Structures are given as C-alpha cells and as structure tokens.
Amino acid sequence: MLRLRLLMKEKGISALLVTRQENVRYLTGFTGSSGSVLVTGGRSSLITDFRYRLQSRREASGIAVVIQKTDWARAVRDTAARVGADTLWFDESSLTLDRIKKLRQPGLRLKGYRDLVGELRQRKDEQELASIRKAIARAEGSFRELKKYIRPGAVERELGLKLEFLMREKGSRKAAFDPIVASGRNGAMPHASVSDRRIKQGDLVTIDFGAEADGYFCDITRTLSVGKPTPRQREIHDLVLRAQQAAIATARPGVPCKSVDKAARELITAAGQGKHFGHATGHGAGLMVHEGPSLSALSREKVGQGMVFTVEPGVYIPGWGGVRIEDMVYITENGAKVLTTLPKELESLKSL
Ligand code: ZN
Ligand code: ZN
C-alpha cells in the first residue's frame, strides 16, 4: 500500500479505485471474488458485499471494510464522498463500461488510468517468490509422476486430467489453466489444450502446465519424445533450447523486454524457422498466470530486478508437430535465475 501511495503521489492521483481481483488481494490480502479498494493518501476502504462480511474482516486487517447495502456503484460513490474525493481514478483495463456508467454522478469526476497496481505486482518480494517456488515444486513433482503414464496408447485428455489431479492432490487449489498435452501433429498448435488423440510411438509430446500456491501460479512446458527421437526432432528441440538459453542469458535489469524476445527469435529465424515461432517469448506470472511484463517484439517495458517471468520460445511446424520449452526465471541484480528445475535436454520415454 505504501509503494502504491508513493506512486499515486508521483502521478498526482488523489483517489484510486482498485477493481481487479488480484490487485485487491495484493493490497489487502482479501481473497473473495467480489471486492474493490478505494485508496487515498490517508486511508483505504475495502468495499465488498454481505457474503464476505466475516471473511473480509478476517483477511483484510488494518483496512476499513464497507459492506455494500444496495449496489456496488452506490457503495463506491458513498465511500468516495465520505473520504472527500471529487475525482476518482480507475483501472481502465479492468472496469467495464457498464460499471463506469453506473459510477457516474454529478460532482464526481471519473478518470481512466493504466493498471498501477499491476505494475507494482511485477516486482516480487521474498514472500511472493517463496510462494511461486512452492507452486513450481507442486507442478514439477506432478510432472515427474505423470511421466510414467506417457506411453503409446495413452490419451491426451486423460493425461491432462491426471496432471491436474496430481497438482491438486499436492495442495494446488486449482490448476493455473487447463493443462496442455499436445502430441504428434497436435504439437503444431501452440495452445492445443487436449484432444482424444492417443499417443503413438515416435511422437513428440508437449506438456504445458502450472500449479498454484498461496494464490500464486507457475507456468512450465516440456517437450518429451516417446521412444528414440529422430534427427529432425532432435534438431528442432536443440534449436528451441538454444533460443531459450540465449533469451535467459539476455534477461538482466535494465535490458528492454523486447531484446529478450529478439535473442530467442534471431536464433530461430537464422535456422529458417522464424515463421514457425509466432508468439511472444514470455510473460510475467504471479497472482495471475499471465501478467506483465510481456516479452515480445512490441514490448516497451524494461526488465527489472524482482520480476518473475516465463521464457518460452517454440517452433510449430504444420503437419509435423512442435517443440516448446518454458521456464520461470527470477531477475536478480546479476541476471536471470532459473526457478524451474526440470531437466531440459530432450528426454525420451521408453516405450512399453
Ligand atoms: Zn505455459
Ligand atoms: Zn506461459
């Protein structure tokens, strides 16, 4: 809250309405699905509804809790009036037009602004890092167990379900997203999810998954081969791995995020596979599995100490399949520290 107030002062923002669920959690500790925070220089109020009367007081200590009597907009307007705010800045990336319209009333100016709390969230503190490591441990332990089920005849959908079950069994309250298990030609679709396809001998299988811990998510991808890989499979996997390592080596405080993307992309392009790598090299992860910064050619942000993001180049060849390798890294003053511990060389699972 202190960092946010300093940032607000710097930007000349006297009253900020925080509406994105993850931001509310970040600022107050409140985990309910319905809550907004009105932050001013002196005080802050958490606005929620009857369902969260007890939970909000337990989780969000040290902040005034307002239980809305009628509708949300009225509770926000009343709270703004009570703290003497005549201008309310809101996060234009999270508030819907419908809700903005409902907030309108004479004497209260509304100003859209970028997601300031989301920007603060990009830099993780020790406790957040520990939670992310915990999520990674849950995901990795589950992946290691899953491997014994990956063999010819196994169905992608069942492997995805199994992986999710394992992660939840280890304490993850939910999966970061529906796990992706893309085998054979399905591997050419970066976000293939799962299908009813059965794994065949000789397939590459791309598995993209993430677990949760204390509200924080991780995001990991590995590509395995079922049986002995062909020279072509080895070649593409090796290219993606080299691209990933080049990107990780580039990531250090002060470097533009787009340079991290460029490091991976140049290598893949030089090998003639540029057109088969059509997504960004990485994204921040934390309370949301996809958050800032974005590591893409269009990114205008810089890598900063304390950031946690993924590095995940891939090559997707229609009719052939694909390879993606995704790790989570933490930015220290000396550069990127890889948080993921699973091996990265092409692992070939023995067939039955
Ligand atoms: Zn992923
Ligand atoms: Zn990712």
PDB file of all heavy atoms in Angstrom, residues 177 180 191 208-209 219-221 283 290 310 312 324 326, ligand 1:
ATOM      1  N   PHE A 177      -4.169 -23.200 -15.376  1.00  0.00           N
ATOM      2  CA  PHE A 177      -5.002 -23.208 -16.596  1.00  0.00           C
ATOM      3  C   PHE A 177      -5.179 -24.681 -16.939  1.00  0.00           C
ATOM      4  O   PHE A 177      -4.512 -25.545 -16.350  1.00  0.00           O
ATOM      5  CB  PHE A 177      -4.304 -22.449 -17.753  1.00  0.00           C
ATOM      6  CG  PHE A 177      -2.875 -22.849 -17.948  1.00  0.00           C
ATOM      7  CD1 PHE A 177      -2.533 -23.919 -18.770  1.00  0.00           C
ATOM      8  CD2 PHE A 177      -1.847 -22.184 -17.270  1.00  0.00           C
ATOM      9  CE1 PHE A 177      -1.212 -24.315 -18.917  1.00  0.00           C
ATOM     10  CE2 PHE A 177      -0.510 -22.581 -17.416  1.00  0.00           C
ATOM     11  CZ  PHE A 177      -0.208 -23.644 -18.248  1.00  0.00           C
ATOM     12  N   ILE A 180      -2.052 -28.379 -21.072  1.00  0.00           N
ATOM     13  CA  ILE A 180      -1.968 -28.693 -22.498  1.00  0.00           C
ATOM     14  C   ILE A 180      -1.145 -29.978 -22.646  1.00  0.00           C
ATOM     15  O   ILE A 180      -0.053 -30.078 -22.078  1.00  0.00           O
ATOM     16  CB  ILE A 180      -1.272 -27.546 -23.267  1.00  0.00           C
ATOM     17  CG1 ILE A 180      -2.136 -26.275 -23.239  1.00  0.00           C
ATOM     18  CG2 ILE A 180      -0.952 -27.963 -24.714  1.00  0.00           C
ATOM     19  CD1 ILE A 180      -1.443 -25.044 -23.799  1.00  0.00           C
ATOM     20  N   HIS A 191      -1.385 -23.570 -28.500  1.00  0.00           N
ATOM     21  CA  HIS A 191      -2.326 -23.697 -27.383  1.00  0.00           C
ATOM     22  C   HIS A 191      -3.376 -24.741 -27.691  1.00  0.00           C
ATOM     23  O   HIS A 191      -4.575 -24.490 -27.706  1.00  0.00           O
ATOM     24  CB  HIS A 191      -2.952 -22.346 -27.019  1.00  0.00           C
ATOM     25  CG  HIS A 191      -2.214 -21.676 -25.919  1.00  0.00           C
ATOM     26  ND1 HIS A 191      -2.790 -20.767 -25.070  1.00  0.00           N
ATOM     27  CD2 HIS A 191      -0.929 -21.805 -25.513  1.00  0.00           C
ATOM     28  CE1 HIS A 191      -1.878 -20.361 -24.192  1.00  0.00           C
ATOM     29  NE2 HIS A 191      -0.746 -20.971 -24.450  1.00  0.00           N
ATOM     30  N   ASP A 208       2.228 -28.442 -21.218  1.00  0.00           N
ATOM     31  CA  ASP A 208       2.299 -27.082 -20.674  1.00  0.00           C
ATOM     32  C   ASP A 208       1.343 -27.038 -19.494  1.00  0.00           C
ATOM     33  O   ASP A 208       0.156 -27.331 -19.639  1.00  0.00           O
ATOM     34  CB  ASP A 208       1.876 -26.090 -21.771  1.00  0.00           C
ATOM     35  CG  ASP A 208       2.133 -24.640 -21.385  1.00  0.00           C
ATOM     36  OD1 ASP A 208       2.298 -24.347 -20.188  1.00  0.00           O
ATOM     37  OD2 ASP A 208       2.135 -23.785 -22.300  1.00  0.00           O
ATOM     38  N   PHE A 209       1.838 -26.668 -18.325  1.00  0.00           N
ATOM     39  CA  PHE A 209       1.035 -26.824 -17.115  1.00  0.00           C
ATOM     40  C   PHE A 209       1.507 -25.862 -16.033  1.00  0.00           C
ATOM     41  O   PHE A 209       2.616 -25.329 -16.095  1.00  0.00           O
ATOM     42  CB  PHE A 209       1.143 -28.270 -16.616  1.00  0.00           C
ATOM     43  CG  PHE A 209       2.576 -28.699 -16.338  1.00  0.00           C
ATOM     44  CD1 PHE A 209       3.034 -28.809 -15.032  1.00  0.00           C
ATOM     45  CD2 PHE A 209       3.461 -28.941 -17.379  1.00  0.00           C
ATOM     46  CE1 PHE A 209       4.357 -29.169 -14.772  1.00  0.00           C
ATOM     47  CE2 PHE A 209       4.779 -29.297 -17.117  1.00  0.00           C
ATOM     48  CZ  PHE A 209       5.227 -29.409 -15.818  1.00  0.00           C
ATOM     49  N   ASP A 219       4.113 -21.607 -14.475  1.00  0.00           N
ATOM     50  CA  ASP A 219       3.818 -21.948 -15.873  1.00  0.00           C
ATOM     51  C   ASP A 219       5.076 -22.605 -16.452  1.00  0.00           C
ATOM     52  O   ASP A 219       6.136 -21.974 -16.487  1.00  0.00           O
ATOM     53  CB  ASP A 219       3.465 -20.641 -16.608  1.00  0.00           C
ATOM     54  CG  ASP A 219       2.896 -20.865 -17.992  1.00  0.00           C
ATOM     55  OD1 ASP A 219       2.734 -22.032 -18.384  1.00  0.00           O
ATOM     56  OD2 ASP A 219       2.623 -19.856 -18.682  1.00  0.00           O
ATOM     57  N   ILE A 220       4.941 -23.866 -16.822  1.00  0.00           N
ATOM     58  CA  ILE A 220       6.108 -24.660 -17.252  1.00  0.00           C
ATOM     59  C   ILE A 220       5.732 -25.455 -18.503  1.00  0.00           C
ATOM     60  O   ILE A 220       4.594 -25.926 -18.608  1.00  0.00           O
ATOM     61  CB  ILE A 220       6.516 -25.668 -16.144  1.00  0.00           C
ATOM     62  CG1 ILE A 220       6.837 -24.936 -14.829  1.00  0.00           C
ATOM     63  CG2 ILE A 220       7.688 -26.541 -16.576  1.00  0.00           C
ATOM     64  CD1 ILE A 220       7.025 -25.859 -13.631  1.00  0.00           C
ATOM     65  N   THR A 221       6.646 -25.605 -19.450  1.00  0.00           N
ATOM     66  CA  THR A 221       6.422 -26.507 -20.582  1.00  0.00           C
ATOM     67  C   THR A 221       7.652 -27.379 -20.804  1.00  0.00           C
ATOM     68  O   THR A 221       8.781 -26.884 -20.753  1.00  0.00           O
ATOM     69  CB  THR A 221       6.162 -25.726 -21.897  1.00  0.00           C
ATOM     70  OG1 THR A 221       5.124 -24.780 -21.691  1.00  0.00           O
ATOM     71  CG2 THR A 221       5.765 -26.668 -23.035  1.00  0.00           C
ATOM     72  N   HIS A 283       6.114 -14.045 -20.565  1.00  0.00           N
ATOM     73  CA  HIS A 283       5.159 -13.166 -19.864  1.00  0.00           C
ATOM     74  C   HIS A 283       5.407 -13.275 -18.372  1.00  0.00           C
ATOM     75  O   HIS A 283       5.867 -14.313 -17.888  1.00  0.00           O
ATOM     76  CB  HIS A 283       3.727 -13.590 -20.203  1.00  0.00           C
ATOM     77  CG  HIS A 283       3.436 -15.038 -19.893  1.00  0.00           C
ATOM     78  ND1 HIS A 283       3.060 -15.460 -18.649  1.00  0.00           N
ATOM     79  CD2 HIS A 283       3.519 -16.160 -20.659  1.00  0.00           C
ATOM     80  CE1 HIS A 283       2.899 -16.788 -18.673  1.00  0.00           C
ATOM     81  NE2 HIS A 283       3.178 -17.247 -19.881  1.00  0.00           N
ATOM     82  N   HIS A 290      -0.880 -15.106 -16.454  1.00  0.00           N
ATOM     83  CA  HIS A 290      -0.385 -14.215 -17.498  1.00  0.00           C
ATOM     84  C   HIS A 290      -0.505 -12.784 -17.000  1.00  0.00           C
ATOM     85  O   HIS A 290      -1.616 -12.278 -16.850  1.00  0.00           O
ATOM     86  CB  HIS A 290      -1.205 -14.350 -18.796  1.00  0.00           C
ATOM     87  CG  HIS A 290      -0.940 -15.633 -19.505  1.00  0.00           C
ATOM     88  ND1 HIS A 290      -1.869 -16.630 -19.601  1.00  0.00           N
ATOM     89  CD2 HIS A 290       0.164 -16.092 -20.151  1.00  0.00           C
ATOM     90  CE1 HIS A 290      -1.355 -17.650 -20.274  1.00  0.00           C
ATOM     91  NE2 HIS A 290      -0.124 -17.353 -20.621  1.00  0.00           N
ATOM     92  N   THR A 310       8.171 -15.915 -17.601  1.00  0.00           N
ATOM     93  CA  THR A 310       8.475 -17.150 -18.307  1.00  0.00           C
ATOM     94  C   THR A 310       9.375 -16.836 -19.505  1.00  0.00           C
ATOM     95  O   THR A 310       9.357 -15.718 -20.025  1.00  0.00           O
ATOM     96  CB  THR A 310       7.203 -17.830 -18.848  1.00  0.00           C
ATOM     97  OG1 THR A 310       6.666 -17.030 -19.919  1.00  0.00           O
ATOM     98  CG2 THR A 310       6.132 -17.982 -17.777  1.00  0.00           C
ATOM     99  N   GLU A 312       9.788 -18.831 -23.036  1.00  0.00           N
ATOM    100  CA  GLU A 312       9.144 -19.990 -23.667  1.00  0.00           C
ATOM    101  C   GLU A 312       9.082 -19.935 -25.196  1.00  0.00           C
ATOM    102  O   GLU A 312       8.007 -19.929 -25.786  1.00  0.00           O
ATOM    103  CB  GLU A 312       7.730 -20.152 -23.124  1.00  0.00           C
ATOM    104  CG  GLU A 312       6.875 -18.888 -23.143  1.00  0.00           C
ATOM    105  CD  GLU A 312       5.434 -19.166 -22.693  1.00  0.00           C
ATOM    106  OE1 GLU A 312       4.829 -20.118 -23.226  1.00  0.00           O
ATOM    107  OE2 GLU A 312       4.929 -18.426 -21.843  1.00  0.00           O
ATOM    108  N   ARG A 324       8.131 -26.774 -27.550  1.00  0.00           N
ATOM    109  CA  ARG A 324       8.217 -25.549 -26.739  1.00  0.00           C
ATOM    110  C   ARG A 324       8.911 -25.932 -25.440  1.00  0.00           C
ATOM    111  O   ARG A 324       8.695 -27.024 -24.913  1.00  0.00           O
ATOM    112  CB  ARG A 324       6.834 -24.952 -26.460  1.00  0.00           C
ATOM    113  CG  ARG A 324       6.893 -23.724 -25.561  1.00  0.00           C
ATOM    114  CD  ARG A 324       5.602 -22.891 -25.528  1.00  0.00           C
ATOM    115  NE  ARG A 324       4.479 -23.568 -24.926  1.00  0.00           N
ATOM    116  CZ  ARG A 324       3.489 -24.135 -25.594  1.00  0.00           C
ATOM    117  NH1 ARG A 324       3.480 -24.110 -26.909  1.00  0.00           N
ATOM    118  NH2 ARG A 324       2.500 -24.748 -24.967  1.00  0.00           N
ATOM    119  N   GLU A 326       9.550 -24.106 -21.685  1.00  0.00           N
ATOM    120  CA  GLU A 326       9.167 -22.925 -20.893  1.00  0.00           C
ATOM    121  C   GLU A 326       9.655 -23.052 -19.466  1.00  0.00           C
ATOM    122  O   GLU A 326       9.331 -24.004 -18.764  1.00  0.00           O
ATOM    123  CB  GLU A 326       7.633 -22.780 -20.901  1.00  0.00           C
ATOM    124  CG  GLU A 326       7.121 -21.645 -20.018  1.00  0.00           C
ATOM    125  CD  GLU A 326       5.612 -21.472 -20.101  1.00  0.00           C
ATOM    126  OE1 GLU A 326       4.906 -22.448 -20.399  1.00  0.00           O
ATOM    127  OE2 GLU A 326       5.141 -20.333 -19.859  1.00  0.00           O
TER     128      GLU A 326
HETATM  129 ZN    ZN B   1       2.793 -22.319 -20.424  1.00  0.00          ZN
END
